[in-house]
Structures are given as C-alpha cells and as structure tokens.
Amino acid sequence: DTGVSQDPRHKITKRGQNVTFRCDPISEHNRLYWYRQTLGQGPEFLTYFQNEAQLEKSRLLSDRFSAERPKGSFSTLEIQRTEQGDSAMYLCASSSSVNYGPYEQYFGPGTRLTVT
Amino acid sequence: GNSVTQMEGPVTLSEEAFLTINCTYTATGYPSLFWYVQYPGEGLQLLLKATKADDKGSNKGFEATYRKETTSFHLEKGSVQVSDSAVYFCALIKPGTASKLTFGTGTRLQVTL
C-alpha cells in the first residue's frame, strides 16, 4: 500500500492557461474525492467518484473545472482558463466502501497551484 | 446545512502541557466525526474518529469523545510534545452518505520546549 499519490506537487501557471492534475488512489479503494484548500482554511469538497461514476459535484466546481476517472482507478482534474482565484492546494483522497470504514478518507500530499 | 466550528489558533503550549482543542458541529442526525492532522509540509492524516454518540476515538495519546447532547468532539491530549506541532482539523461526514467531509477551519498548535 503506497498511499494516495498526486502529480505534480507544484504547478505555476499564467492566468488563462489550462492545467491538469492527476491523482492515483490507494489501489483497492473504489471512492475518490477532490478537495480544494486555501491558506488558513479547511479543505472544501469539490467532487466525488465511486468507481468511474461522478456522483456528486460542489457548486464550487464551476464550468471551467472538469474531473474524470475513466477506468475507475486514477483521476484527473482539469482547470481551464485559470484565474488568480484558482490558486490553492488541490487535495485528492480515497476510501473504500468495503474494507475500511466507515468512510475513512486517506489524503494525498496535494498539488499546490499558483496562478500568476 | 452541515458545519464545523473550531477554536481559533494558534494555540501555544509548553511541552508536557495538557491540550484541548474545541470542536462543535451542526448536522441533522448522527454524523461521523473525525480529527485530521496536517504536519508542516505534509498532507492530511487521519488522527481519530467516532461514529456514534458516546464513542471515544483515540490514537497517539490523543482522545476525543462524541457528545451528542453538546454537539461537540473536543480533542485532548494529556502531555503534548514538540512533535505534535501541526494544524488540527475537525470534520464530519453526513450520516447515511459516503461523500464529502465537511471541515472546520483548522487550529494551529505550537509546542515549545
């Protein structure tokens, strides 16, 4: 069990550019979550997958954001036309509906996005 | 909606002092309650959890008891160490769902020698 991994760990981009982040969950976990954390705040929920199905999306997830989990394993989060307000730490977490519980989510190290 | 309120930090303590970090919640029904810890430069780690009223979660000397009557889940440790310096987040999951954690704003703990 290698834990949840995220790539890249840091991303600096110019306003208006598109960025994509990847998350690899713990291998036997069927649930995957994305959160966003800004400085001095707790993480805020963005979206949730069970297997490949995206089951819930926050209103924080504007139409510039899209997430996928095509084969029910890794997930990607894309932000189009980035804005300075998108600067944050993007966290991925995973959990299992079968072996762990209830509902314990395990977090990756995060991707820090800076939009200049 | 669901929400979590934590005491503001930073909390500064001397080593071996007693720690309490207050957490109260608003939710319908019986949410599951969690404490996560974020050490400097690291990701969030699950510290402890409780799933029903009067449950006590414990780990690494930390404890928290699920109090339905006061809607609280205060974190305590009898004797803190410098290595406990971190940000602590209280969180809940809405009962009957498998989805989002709702977090408090976090409390920074600084322990000095």
Side-chain angles (χ1 to χ4, degrees), chain A residues 3-76:
Chain A
V4 179
S5 61
Q6 293 187 245
D7 184 66
R9 294 290 305 274
H10 303 274
K11 179 72 176 178
I12 299 173
T13 191
K14 293 185 178 178
R15 189 176 56 192
Q17 297 295 303
N18 299 344
V19 294
T20 301
F21 309 140
R22 177 179 170 124
C23 171
D24 287 88
I26 293 171
S27 57
E28 63 267 30
H29 284 184
N30 59 340
R31 293 176 173 155
L32 188 147
Y33 310 79
W34 285 99
Y35 294 84
R36 181 170 68 187
Q37 185 179 19
T38 53
L39 202 60
Q41 300 298 314
E44 295 176 295
F45 171 79
L46 293 178
T47 190
Y48 152 61
F49 292 83
Q50 178 152 319
N51 300 313
E52 63 275 10
Q54 188 173 20
L55 297 186
E56 188 173 345
K57 290 196 294 186
S58 164
R59 281 170 286 184
L60 291 175
L61 213 65
S62 77
D63 56 6
R64 296 185 298 107
F65 288 70
S66 62
E68 293 184 342
R69 194 182 183 200
K71 297 182 180 178
S73 57
F74 73 92
S75 175
T76 57

Side-chain angles (χ1 to χ4, degrees), chain B residues 25 30-31 33 50-55 64-68 72-73:
Chain B
Y25 67 88
Y30 290 82
L33 301 174
T51 59
K52 59 184 187 295
D54 300 324
D55 264 3
T65 301
Y66 189 141
R67 301 286 188 201
K68 178 67 175 174
S72 65
F73 192 55

Side-chain angles (χ1 to χ4, degrees), chain A residues 31 33 35 56 102 104-105, chain B residues 36 49 51 97-99 101:
Chain A
R31 293 176 173 155
Y33 310 79
Y35 294 84
E56 188 173 345
E104 293 178 15
Q105 294 182 23
Chain B
Y36 280 83
K49 70 180 193 297
T51 59
T97 74
S99 66
L101 282 159

